[in-house]
Amino acid sequence: MGRFQTAAPTVALPRPKPAVAQTPASEREHERILAAYGGTYDDPKLEALIGKTVDRLVAVSDRPDQGYKVTILNSGAVNAFALPSGQLYVTRGLIALASDTSELSSVLSHEMAHVLSKHAAIREDQARQAAIVTRVVTDMGNDPELTALALAKTKLTMASFSRHQEFEADGIGVGISARAHFDPYGAARFLAAMERNAELKAGKASLNPRAQDFLSSHPATPERVRNAQSIARQYTSPEGAERDRETYLSALDNIVYGEDPSEGFVRGRRFLHPKLGFTFAAPENFTLDNTAQAVIGVREGGSQAMRFDVVRVPAEQSLGEYLNSGWMEGVDKASTEDLTINGFPAAAATAKGDQWQFKVYALRFGSDVYRFIFASRQKTTESERNARETVNSFRRLTLEEIQAARPLRIKVITVQPGDTVESLSHRMTGVDRPVERFRVLNGLDKHAQVKVRDRVKIVVD
Protein backbone atom coordinates (compact mmCIF):
# COMPACT_ATOMS: atom_id res chain seq x y z
CA MET A 1 0.00 0.00 0.00
CA GLY A 2 2.87 2.32 0.88
CA ARG A 3 3.72 3.20 -2.67
CA PHE A 4 0.14 4.14 -3.54
CA GLN A 5 -0.33 6.59 -0.71
CA THR A 6 -0.59 10.16 -1.96
CA ALA A 7 1.65 12.77 -0.47
CA ALA A 8 -0.05 15.32 1.78
CA PRO A 9 -0.79 18.49 -0.20
CA THR A 10 2.00 21.04 0.21
CA VAL A 11 0.86 24.30 1.75
CA ALA A 12 2.48 27.33 0.10
CA LEU A 13 4.01 29.31 2.93
CA PRO A 14 3.88 33.08 2.51
CA ARG A 15 7.26 34.39 1.40
CA PRO A 16 8.92 36.36 4.17
CA LYS A 17 9.16 40.04 3.38
CA PRO A 18 12.68 41.11 2.38
CA ALA A 19 14.35 42.91 5.28
CA VAL A 20 15.69 46.45 5.08
CA ALA A 21 19.45 46.43 5.62
CA GLN A 22 20.28 48.88 8.40
CA THR A 23 23.71 50.53 8.50
CA PRO A 24 25.10 52.98 11.08
CA ALA A 25 24.87 55.71 8.41
CA SER A 26 21.20 54.97 7.63
CA GLU A 27 20.40 54.83 11.38
CA ARG A 28 21.96 58.28 11.83
CA GLU A 29 20.09 59.67 8.83
CA HIS A 30 16.84 58.12 10.14
CA GLU A 31 17.28 59.93 13.48
CA ARG A 32 18.10 63.20 11.70
CA ILE A 33 14.95 62.91 9.55
CA LEU A 34 12.76 62.13 12.58
CA ALA A 35 14.20 65.14 14.46
CA ALA A 36 13.62 67.47 11.52
CA TYR A 37 10.11 66.25 10.69
CA GLY A 38 8.41 66.00 14.09
CA GLY A 39 9.01 62.28 14.76
CA THR A 40 6.67 59.51 13.63
CA TYR A 41 2.93 59.82 13.14
CA ASP A 42 1.20 56.69 14.41
CA ASP A 43 -2.01 55.79 12.62
CA PRO A 44 -2.78 52.06 12.20
CA LYS A 45 -5.37 52.66 9.41
CA LEU A 46 -2.92 54.65 7.29
CA GLU A 47 -0.03 52.29 8.06
CA ALA A 48 -2.14 49.32 6.88
CA LEU A 49 -3.11 51.12 3.65
CA ILE A 50 0.51 52.12 2.91
CA GLY A 51 1.80 48.63 3.77
CA LYS A 52 -0.69 47.01 1.38
CA THR A 53 0.17 49.51 -1.36
CA VAL A 54 3.93 48.94 -0.99
CA ASP A 55 3.46 45.15 -1.09
CA ARG A 56 1.59 45.46 -4.40
CA LEU A 57 4.28 47.71 -5.87
CA VAL A 58 7.20 45.54 -4.70
CA ALA A 59 5.60 42.40 -6.19
CA VAL A 60 5.69 43.87 -9.73
CA SER A 61 8.99 45.79 -9.46
CA ASP A 62 12.23 44.60 -11.08
CA ARG A 63 13.65 43.84 -7.63
CA PRO A 64 11.03 42.04 -5.52
CA ASP A 65 13.90 41.03 -3.21
CA GLN A 66 14.52 44.69 -2.18
CA GLY A 67 12.96 45.39 1.22
CA TYR A 68 11.20 48.65 2.11
CA LYS A 69 10.09 50.13 5.41
CA VAL A 70 7.78 53.15 5.32
CA THR A 71 7.71 55.72 8.13
CA ILE A 72 4.91 58.32 8.32
CA LEU A 73 6.40 61.60 9.58
CA ASN A 74 4.45 63.91 11.89
CA SER A 75 4.87 66.97 9.70
CA GLY A 76 2.51 69.18 7.72
CA ALA A 77 5.19 69.65 5.03
CA VAL A 78 4.43 67.83 1.77
CA ASN A 79 7.41 65.52 1.36
CA ALA A 80 8.62 62.00 0.71
CA PHE A 81 12.11 60.59 0.38
CA ALA A 82 14.11 57.38 0.41
CA LEU A 83 17.38 56.23 1.91
CA PRO A 84 19.58 53.82 -0.10
CA SER A 85 18.68 51.06 2.41
CA GLY A 86 15.03 51.10 1.27
CA GLN A 87 13.71 53.19 4.16
CA LEU A 88 10.91 55.34 2.69
CA TYR A 89 9.39 58.40 4.37
CA VAL A 90 6.11 60.18 3.69
CA THR A 91 4.79 63.12 5.70
CA ARG A 92 1.18 63.28 6.86
CA GLY A 93 1.08 66.58 4.91
CA LEU A 94 1.65 64.64 1.70
CA ILE A 95 -0.93 62.01 2.67
CA ALA A 96 -3.48 64.81 3.35
CA LEU A 97 -2.84 66.39 -0.06
CA ALA A 98 -3.19 63.18 -2.11
CA SER A 99 -6.73 62.41 -3.27
CA ASP A 100 -6.61 58.64 -3.80
CA THR A 101 -4.43 55.54 -3.43
CA SER A 102 -3.13 55.80 -7.00
CA GLU A 103 -1.65 59.23 -6.21
CA LEU A 104 -0.01 57.88 -3.05
CA SER A 105 1.25 54.83 -4.99
CA SER A 106 2.84 57.19 -7.55
CA VAL A 107 4.89 58.84 -4.77
CA LEU A 108 5.91 55.50 -3.19
CA SER A 109 6.86 53.95 -6.55
CA HIS A 110 8.82 57.10 -7.47
CA GLU A 111 10.83 56.82 -4.23
CA MET A 112 11.32 53.08 -4.80
CA ALA A 113 12.66 53.96 -8.26
CA HIS A 114 15.28 56.24 -6.67
CA VAL A 115 16.41 53.29 -4.52
CA LEU A 116 16.39 50.80 -7.44
CA SER A 117 18.36 53.21 -9.68
CA LYS A 118 20.90 53.91 -6.90
CA HIS A 119 19.99 57.64 -7.04
CA ALA A 120 19.45 57.67 -3.26
CA ALA A 121 23.03 56.43 -2.71
CA ILE A 122 24.43 59.17 -4.97
CA ARG A 123 22.36 61.77 -3.12
CA GLU A 124 23.59 60.47 0.24
CA ASP A 125 27.16 61.32 -0.82
CA GLN A 126 26.05 64.82 -1.86
CA ALA A 127 24.20 65.23 1.45
CA ARG A 128 27.33 64.27 3.40
CA GLN A 129 29.28 67.03 1.65
CA ALA A 130 26.43 69.52 2.16
CA ALA A 131 26.11 68.56 5.84
CA ILE A 132 29.38 70.33 6.69
CA VAL A 133 27.98 73.61 5.37
CA THR A 134 24.57 72.98 6.98
CA ARG A 135 26.14 72.37 10.37
CA VAL A 136 27.94 75.72 10.29
CA VAL A 137 24.73 77.50 9.34
CA THR A 138 22.55 75.67 11.87
CA ASP A 139 24.98 76.34 14.70
CA MET A 140 24.54 80.04 13.85
CA GLY A 141 28.30 80.29 13.34
CA ASN A 142 30.37 83.22 14.54
CA ASP A 143 29.57 85.33 11.54
CA PRO A 144 26.56 87.65 11.38
CA GLU A 145 26.32 87.15 7.59
CA LEU A 146 25.95 83.42 8.16
CA THR A 147 23.45 84.20 10.88
CA ALA A 148 21.34 86.07 8.34
CA LEU A 149 21.60 83.10 6.02
CA ALA A 150 20.52 80.80 8.84
CA LEU A 151 17.41 82.92 9.35
CA ALA A 152 16.25 81.94 5.88
CA LYS A 153 17.69 78.45 5.64
CA THR A 154 17.11 76.55 8.86
CA LYS A 155 15.05 73.78 7.37
CA LEU A 156 16.55 70.39 6.68
CA THR A 157 16.81 70.00 2.93
CA MET A 158 17.78 66.85 1.12
CA ALA A 159 20.25 67.31 -1.74
CA SER A 160 18.28 67.69 -4.98
CA PHE A 161 18.08 64.99 -7.59
CA SER A 162 19.18 65.93 -11.10
CA ARG A 163 16.60 66.56 -13.81
CA HIS A 164 17.67 63.34 -15.52
CA GLN A 165 17.28 61.32 -12.29
CA GLU A 166 13.79 62.75 -11.72
CA PHE A 167 12.62 61.86 -15.23
CA GLU A 168 14.13 58.38 -14.88
CA ALA A 169 12.40 57.83 -11.49
CA ASP A 170 9.10 59.10 -12.94
CA GLY A 171 9.36 56.61 -15.81
CA ILE A 172 10.18 53.65 -13.56
CA GLY A 173 7.62 54.72 -10.91
CA VAL A 174 4.70 55.12 -13.35
CA GLY A 175 5.56 51.69 -14.81
CA ILE A 176 5.56 50.02 -11.38
CA SER A 177 2.23 51.68 -10.44
CA ALA A 178 0.61 50.67 -13.74
CA ARG A 179 1.79 47.04 -13.46
CA ALA A 180 0.31 46.97 -9.93
CA HIS A 181 -3.02 48.03 -11.58
CA PHE A 182 -3.05 51.54 -10.10
CA ASP A 183 -4.16 54.41 -12.34
CA PRO A 184 -0.91 55.44 -14.10
CA TYR A 185 -2.12 59.06 -14.33
CA GLY A 186 -1.88 59.37 -10.52
CA ALA A 187 1.69 60.72 -10.82
CA ALA A 188 0.74 63.56 -13.18
CA ARG A 189 -2.25 64.52 -11.01
CA PHE A 190 -0.19 64.56 -7.82
CA LEU A 191 2.71 66.54 -9.35
CA ALA A 192 0.16 69.16 -10.43
CA ALA A 193 -1.41 69.19 -6.93
CA MET A 194 1.99 69.76 -5.32
CA GLU A 195 2.77 72.62 -7.68
CA ARG A 196 -0.58 74.28 -6.85
CA ASN A 197 0.02 73.70 -3.12
CA ALA A 198 3.47 75.36 -3.38
CA GLU A 199 1.91 78.36 -5.19
CA LEU A 200 -0.60 78.75 -2.34
CA LYS A 201 2.27 78.87 0.15
CA ALA A 202 4.30 81.21 -2.06
CA GLY A 203 1.47 83.73 -1.96
CA LYS A 204 2.19 84.20 1.76
CA ALA A 205 5.89 85.05 1.92
CA SER A 206 9.17 85.58 0.16
CA LEU A 207 10.62 82.55 1.98
CA ASN A 208 11.18 79.67 -0.42
CA PRO A 209 7.75 77.96 -0.18
CA ARG A 210 9.33 74.64 -1.09
CA ALA A 211 11.98 74.73 1.66
CA GLN A 212 10.90 71.59 3.47
CA ASP A 213 8.67 70.18 0.80
CA PHE A 214 8.98 67.50 -1.88
CA LEU A 215 9.57 70.12 -4.56
CA SER A 216 12.86 71.28 -2.96
CA SER A 217 14.44 67.87 -3.46
CA HIS A 218 12.28 66.76 -6.43
CA PRO A 219 11.94 69.84 -8.69
CA ALA A 220 8.57 69.76 -10.47
CA THR A 221 7.91 71.59 -13.70
CA PRO A 222 5.04 71.63 -16.18
CA GLU A 223 7.42 69.65 -18.40
CA ARG A 224 7.63 66.92 -15.74
CA VAL A 225 3.83 66.76 -15.47
CA ARG A 226 3.61 66.41 -19.29
CA ASN A 227 6.31 63.73 -19.20
CA ALA A 228 4.41 61.75 -16.51
CA GLN A 229 1.24 62.00 -18.63
CA SER A 230 2.96 60.73 -21.78
CA ILE A 231 4.50 57.78 -19.88
CA ALA A 232 1.05 56.97 -18.43
CA ARG A 233 -0.40 56.82 -21.98
CA GLN A 234 1.84 53.82 -22.70
CA TYR A 235 -0.03 51.88 -20.01
CA THR A 236 -3.60 52.58 -20.99
CA SER A 237 -5.81 49.88 -19.57
CA PRO A 238 -8.40 52.07 -17.85
CA GLU A 239 -10.70 49.18 -16.94
CA GLY A 240 -8.09 47.66 -14.60
CA ALA A 241 -6.59 50.92 -13.33
CA GLU A 242 -7.59 51.67 -9.75
CA ARG A 243 -7.79 55.05 -8.10
CA ASP A 244 -9.24 53.52 -4.94
CA ARG A 245 -10.52 56.89 -3.72
CA GLU A 246 -13.12 55.59 -1.24
CA THR A 247 -10.66 53.38 0.67
CA TYR A 248 -8.09 56.18 0.67
CA LEU A 249 -10.45 58.84 2.04
CA SER A 250 -11.73 56.47 4.74
CA ALA A 251 -8.16 55.82 5.93
CA LEU A 252 -7.34 59.54 5.78
CA ASP A 253 -10.39 60.79 7.72
CA ASN A 254 -9.40 62.62 10.95
CA ILE A 255 -5.66 62.88 10.11
CA VAL A 256 -3.93 65.86 11.77
CA TYR A 257 -3.54 68.72 9.26
CA GLY A 258 -0.76 71.32 9.38
CA GLU A 259 1.29 71.67 12.54
CA ASP A 260 0.99 69.53 15.63
CA PRO A 261 0.31 71.83 18.64
CA SER A 262 2.46 69.64 20.91
CA GLU A 263 5.50 71.11 19.10
CA GLY A 264 4.14 74.64 19.07
CA PHE A 265 2.17 76.05 16.16
CA VAL A 266 1.51 79.17 14.11
CA ARG A 267 -1.96 80.76 13.83
CA GLY A 268 -1.73 83.83 11.64
CA ARG A 269 1.03 86.03 13.11
CA ARG A 270 0.91 84.32 16.52
CA PHE A 271 3.10 81.46 17.71
CA LEU A 272 1.73 79.35 20.59
CA HIS A 273 3.42 76.53 22.47
CA PRO A 274 0.79 74.93 24.74
CA LYS A 275 3.20 72.30 26.10
CA LEU A 276 5.74 74.91 27.21
CA GLY A 277 3.02 77.45 28.03
CA PHE A 278 3.99 80.63 26.14
CA THR A 279 3.01 82.70 23.11
CA PHE A 280 4.22 85.73 21.12
CA ALA A 281 3.06 87.65 18.04
CA ALA A 282 5.19 88.54 15.00
CA PRO A 283 5.05 92.06 13.49
CA GLU A 284 2.57 93.12 10.78
CA ASN A 285 3.44 91.83 7.27
CA PHE A 286 5.55 88.98 8.67
CA THR A 287 4.94 85.34 7.82
CA LEU A 288 5.88 82.85 10.55
CA ASP A 289 7.14 79.36 9.90
CA ASN A 290 7.67 76.77 12.65
CA THR A 291 10.68 74.60 11.74
CA ALA A 292 12.37 71.84 13.73
CA GLN A 293 15.21 74.15 14.79
CA ALA A 294 13.52 77.52 15.23
CA VAL A 295 10.52 79.70 14.48
CA ILE A 296 11.41 81.80 11.45
CA GLY A 297 9.65 85.02 10.44
CA VAL A 298 10.20 86.92 7.20
CA ARG A 299 8.75 90.28 6.25
CA GLU A 300 7.09 90.63 2.85
CA GLY A 301 9.86 91.58 0.43
CA GLY A 302 12.57 89.98 2.59
CA SER A 303 14.08 93.19 4.02
CA GLN A 304 13.58 91.97 7.61
CA ALA A 305 13.68 88.53 9.23
CA MET A 306 13.49 87.07 12.71
CA ARG A 307 14.45 83.84 14.44
CA PHE A 308 13.12 82.53 17.75
CA ASP A 309 14.76 79.55 19.46
CA VAL A 310 15.79 78.09 22.81
CA VAL A 311 19.41 78.03 24.04
CA ARG A 312 21.25 76.56 27.03
CA VAL A 313 22.54 79.22 29.41
CA PRO A 314 23.94 78.22 32.82
CA ALA A 315 21.80 79.53 35.69
CA GLU A 316 24.79 81.40 37.13
CA GLN A 317 25.52 83.26 33.86
CA SER A 318 23.68 86.55 33.45
CA LEU A 319 21.80 87.09 30.18
CA GLY A 320 23.95 90.14 29.39
CA GLU A 321 27.08 87.99 29.80
CA TYR A 322 25.55 85.37 27.53
CA LEU A 323 24.90 87.92 24.74
CA ASN A 324 28.56 88.99 24.94
CA SER A 325 29.99 85.47 25.25
CA GLY A 326 31.13 85.24 21.62
CA TRP A 327 28.47 82.97 20.08
CA MET A 328 27.82 85.84 17.67
CA GLU A 329 30.41 88.21 16.27
CA GLY A 330 29.86 91.90 15.75
CA VAL A 331 27.97 92.40 19.04
CA ASP A 332 28.30 95.97 20.35
CA LYS A 333 29.02 95.31 24.01
CA ALA A 334 28.21 98.91 24.93
CA SER A 335 24.66 98.37 23.63
CA THR A 336 23.94 95.52 26.09
CA GLU A 337 21.15 96.28 28.55
CA ASP A 338 19.32 94.29 31.21
CA LEU A 339 15.53 94.38 30.97
CA THR A 340 12.39 92.88 32.45
CA ILE A 341 9.78 91.80 29.89
CA ASN A 342 6.32 90.91 31.24
CA GLY A 343 7.95 89.88 34.52
CA PHE A 344 10.70 87.77 32.88
CA PRO A 345 14.41 88.66 33.25
CA ALA A 346 15.85 89.61 29.83
CA ALA A 347 18.77 91.32 28.10
CA ALA A 348 19.20 92.97 24.70
CA ALA A 349 22.13 93.94 22.45
CA THR A 350 22.77 95.07 18.88
CA ALA A 351 25.18 93.53 16.38
CA LYS A 352 26.38 94.53 12.92
CA GLY A 353 27.35 92.66 9.76
CA ASP A 354 28.22 93.95 6.27
CA GLN A 355 24.69 93.50 4.91
CA TRP A 356 22.51 93.09 7.99
CA GLN A 357 21.84 94.89 11.28
CA PHE A 358 20.84 92.72 14.24
CA LYS A 359 18.88 93.22 17.44
CA VAL A 360 19.17 90.27 19.82
CA TYR A 361 17.13 89.52 22.96
CA ALA A 362 17.57 86.72 25.49
CA LEU A 363 14.71 86.03 27.90
CA ARG A 364 14.61 83.61 30.86
CA PHE A 365 11.38 81.64 31.19
CA GLY A 366 11.53 79.01 33.94
CA SER A 367 14.74 77.05 33.45
CA ASP A 368 14.92 77.87 29.71
CA VAL A 369 16.38 80.86 27.89
CA TYR A 370 14.66 81.96 24.69
CA ARG A 371 16.43 83.97 22.04
CA PHE A 372 14.91 86.44 19.58
CA ILE A 373 17.22 87.50 16.73
CA PHE A 374 15.95 90.25 14.44
CA ALA A 375 17.80 91.03 11.20
CA SER A 376 17.15 94.00 8.93
CA ARG A 377 18.92 95.33 5.86
CA GLN A 378 18.79 98.84 7.32
CA LYS A 379 18.20 99.90 10.87
CA THR A 380 14.96 101.91 10.76
CA THR A 381 12.44 103.07 13.35
CA GLU A 382 10.08 100.42 11.91
CA SER A 383 12.59 97.55 12.33
CA GLU A 384 13.36 98.72 15.88
CA ARG A 385 9.66 98.95 16.74
CA ASN A 386 8.97 95.52 15.19
CA ALA A 387 11.63 93.91 17.36
CA ARG A 388 10.46 95.64 20.53
CA GLU A 389 6.75 94.89 20.02
CA THR A 390 7.40 91.22 19.22
CA VAL A 391 9.49 90.69 22.34
CA ASN A 392 6.98 92.59 24.48
CA SER A 393 4.21 90.28 23.22
CA PHE A 394 5.94 87.22 24.79
CA ARG A 395 3.76 86.01 27.67
CA ARG A 396 2.40 82.95 29.48
CA LEU A 397 -0.59 81.19 27.93
CA THR A 398 -3.73 81.06 30.05
CA LEU A 399 -5.17 77.70 31.05
CA GLU A 400 -8.11 78.31 28.67
CA GLU A 401 -5.71 78.98 25.77
CA ILE A 402 -3.75 75.80 26.52
CA GLN A 403 -6.93 73.70 26.64
CA ALA A 404 -8.23 75.27 23.41
CA ALA A 405 -5.02 74.50 21.49
CA ARG A 406 -6.18 71.56 19.40
CA PRO A 407 -4.70 70.45 16.09
CA LEU A 408 -6.55 71.03 12.84
CA ARG A 409 -7.79 67.81 11.23
CA ILE A 410 -9.03 66.62 7.85
CA LYS A 411 -12.69 65.58 7.96
CA VAL A 412 -14.15 63.65 5.03
CA ILE A 413 -17.76 64.61 4.31
CA THR A 414 -20.37 63.77 1.64
CA VAL A 415 -21.56 66.57 -0.66
CA GLN A 416 -25.27 67.30 -0.10
CA PRO A 417 -27.77 68.92 -2.52
CA GLY A 418 -27.13 72.67 -2.59
CA ASP A 419 -23.46 72.40 -1.48
CA THR A 420 -20.92 74.32 -3.58
CA VAL A 421 -17.13 74.74 -3.48
CA GLU A 422 -17.71 78.13 -1.83
CA SER A 423 -20.19 76.93 0.81
CA LEU A 424 -18.04 73.91 1.73
CA SER A 425 -14.87 76.00 1.95
CA HIS A 426 -16.63 78.33 4.41
CA ARG A 427 -16.92 75.36 6.77
CA MET A 428 -13.11 75.13 6.96
CA THR A 429 -11.33 76.59 10.00
CA GLY A 430 -7.76 77.69 10.72
CA VAL A 431 -6.61 78.00 7.08
CA ASP A 432 -5.94 80.99 4.84
CA ARG A 433 -7.53 81.33 1.35
CA PRO A 434 -10.10 78.58 2.12
CA VAL A 435 -11.61 78.38 -1.40
CA GLU A 436 -8.23 77.78 -3.08
CA ARG A 437 -7.18 75.48 -0.23
CA PHE A 438 -10.38 73.41 -0.64
CA ARG A 439 -9.79 73.08 -4.39
CA VAL A 440 -6.14 72.02 -3.97
CA LEU A 441 -6.99 69.52 -1.19
CA ASN A 442 -9.65 67.90 -3.35
CA GLY A 443 -7.82 67.93 -6.69
CA LEU A 444 -10.33 70.37 -8.23
CA ASP A 445 -9.13 72.83 -10.85
CA LYS A 446 -10.31 76.43 -10.72
CA HIS A 447 -13.56 75.85 -12.64
CA ALA A 448 -14.52 72.39 -11.35
CA GLN A 449 -17.60 72.03 -9.17
CA VAL A 450 -18.51 69.41 -6.57
CA LYS A 451 -21.18 66.81 -7.32
CA VAL A 452 -23.85 65.51 -4.92
CA ARG A 453 -22.70 62.36 -3.11
CA ASP A 454 -19.00 63.11 -3.82
CA ARG A 455 -16.82 62.66 -0.75
CA VAL A 456 -14.55 65.63 -0.09
CA LYS A 457 -11.97 66.77 2.46
CA ILE A 458 -12.41 69.86 4.63
CA VAL A 459 -10.17 71.20 7.43
CA VAL A 460 -11.77 71.53 10.89
CA ASP A 461 -10.51 72.07 14.45
Side-chain angles (χ1 to χ4, degrees):
M1 286 294 291
R3 62 198 172 104
F4 294 113
Q5 283 173 344
T6 54
T10 54
V11 178
L13 293 170
R15 282 167 65 185
K17 280 191 191 175
V20 174
Q22 299 287 21
T23 64
S26 69
E27 283 293 335
R28 274 197 306 278
E29 195 64 8
H30 177 71
E31 292 307 321
R32 189 172 83 100
I33 289 166
L34 290 186
Y37 284 86
T40 58
Y41 182 73
D42 300 316
D43 186 319
K45 268 194 311 185
L46 284 173
E47 286 157 18
L49 175 76
I50 289 171
K52 226 157 55 182
T53 306
V54 169
D55 289 348
R56 268 175 73 173
L57 297 171
V58 171
V60 298
S61 76
D62 294 342
R63 289 270 315 279
D65 58 319
Q66 166 70 56
Y68 297 94
K69 178 178 187 295
V70 185
T71 301
I72 304 174
L73 297 168
N74 187 20
S75 167
V78 176
N79 211 343
F81 30 81
L83 297 183
S85 59
Q87 282 166 280
L88 308 183
Y89 300 86
V90 286
T91 58
R92 59 173 167 73
L94 184 145
I95 294 167
L97 181 62
S99 287
D100 56 46
T101 312
S102 74
E103 291 185 14
L104 178 68
S105 87
S106 77
V107 173
L108 294 167
S109 59
H110 178 98
E111 293 306 327
M112 288 163 63
H114 281 310
V115 174
L116 297 171
S117 307
K118 303 280 194 285
H119 298 162
I122 297 164
R123 184 169 73 170
E124 193 176 53
D125 289 340
Q126 293 172 338
R128 260 197 292 277
Q129 290 155 24
I132 299 158
V133 181
T134 309
R135 194 162 55 246
V136 173
V137 173
T138 308
D139 290 350
M140 298 300 289
N142 279 334
D143 175 349
E145 295 314 313
L146 267 183
T147 308
L149 186 66
L151 283 162
K153 287 196 172 176
T154 54
K155 288 191 161 177
L156 171 122
T157 52
M158 305 287 278
S160 290
F161 287 121
S162 72
R163 183 175 171 279
H164 169 73
Q165 287 172 333
E166 286 300 347
F167 276 82
E168 191 181 352
D170 284 343
I172 296 168
V174 171
I176 293 172
S177 265
R179 288 199 300 277
H181 300 295
F182 287 114
D183 176 13
Y185 289 93
R189 285 199 308 277
F190 194 61
L191 282 169
M194 286 192 299
E195 193 61 44
R196 289 173 66 200
N197 188 59
E199 281 161 15
L200 253 187
K201 282 176 84 173
K204 286 166 49 182
S206 59
L207 253 181
N208 178 0
R210 303 179 166 108
Q212 203 176 16
D213 282 358
F214 191 82
L215 298 180
S216 65
S217 49
H218 306 68
T221 58
E223 186 187 5
R224 210 175 135 204
V225 174
R226 282 196 301 274
N227 177 57
Q229 283 170 329
S230 71
I231 297 165
R233 277 186 212 110
Q234 299 166 24
Y235 296 95
T236 45
S237 63
E239 65 288 344
E242 263 179 60
R243 287 199 184 183
D244 203 14
R245 184 173 162 83
E246 288 302 305
T247 309
Y248 189 77
L249 290 180
S250 297
L252 178 84
D253 193 24
N254 210 37
I255 190 174
V256 170
Y257 180 79
E259 294 165 294
D260 187 332
S262 67
E263 295 305 317
F265 64 102
V266 173
R267 284 285 185 274
R269 289 189 296 116
R270 183 166 286 286
F271 178 73
L272 304 97
H273 205 308
K275 202 150 85 179
L276 298 177
F278 67 79
T279 182
F280 68 83
E284 293 278 353
N285 302 320
F286 267 63
T287 297
L288 280 184
D289 205 0
N290 184 24
T291 80
Q293 295 85 2
V295 179
I296 304 299
V298 178
R299 190 186 191 286
E300 275 172 30
S303 60
Q304 294 176 40
M306 63 167 281
R307 175 183 173 117
F308 171 82
D309 58 16
V310 62
V311 286
R312 286 207 180 94
V313 178
E316 62 276 8
Q317 186 178 29
S318 79
L319 295 176
E321 285 166 353
Y322 165 72
L323 292 180
N324 289 306
S325 63
W327 61 271
M328 184 177 186
E329 275 183 1
V331 174
D332 174 10
K333 293 189 176 180
S335 71
T336 309
E337 54 178 331
D338 291 319
L339 309 161
T340 301
I341 294 166
N342 293 334
F344 305 115
T350 57
K352 218 182 222 138
D354 290 344
Q355 316 264 319
W356 294 85
Q357 315 285 318
F358 297 95
K359 183 80 180 182
V360 189
Y361 291 87
L363 186 145
R364 214 182 277 277
F365 179 74
S367 57
D368 293 318
V369 170
Y370 292 99
R371 185 169 64 176
F372 285 93
I373 302 166
F374 297 89
S376 57
R377 293 278 184 197
Q378 271 98 33
K379 185 175 169 182
T380 61
T381 50
E382 188 213 19
S383 67
E384 289 277 290
R385 186 180 68 245
N386 281 345
R388 203 169 48 247
E389 286 180 359
T390 302
V391 172
N392 285 335
S393 73
F394 184 96
R395 63 172 177 81
R396 286 183 200 282
L397 283 170
T398 66
L399 191 58
E400 289 76 29
E401 286 172 318
I402 291 170
Q403 287 165 344
R406 289 191 304 272
L408 298 175
R409 291 185 182 271
I410 294 275
K411 187 174 167 55
V412 176
I413 58 170
T414 302
V415 178
Q416 302 298 322
D419 284 342
T420 63
V421 166
E422 286 68 26
S423 70
L424 291 168
S425 65
H426 285 145
R427 291 170 60 180
M428 306 227 292
T429 48
V431 294
D432 60 333
R433 297 166 68 182
V435 174
E436 291 107 306
R437 180 82 48 202
F438 177 85
R439 288 187 177 280
V440 168
L441 269 178
N442 289 290
L444 298 170
D445 64 34
K446 62 159 94 65
H447 302 298
Q449 287 303 324
V450 290
K451 295 193 271 302
V452 175
R453 287 196 297 279
D454 274 357
R455 292 179 82 208
V456 292
K457 296 177 267 182
I458 60 171
V459 179
V460 298
D461 62 6

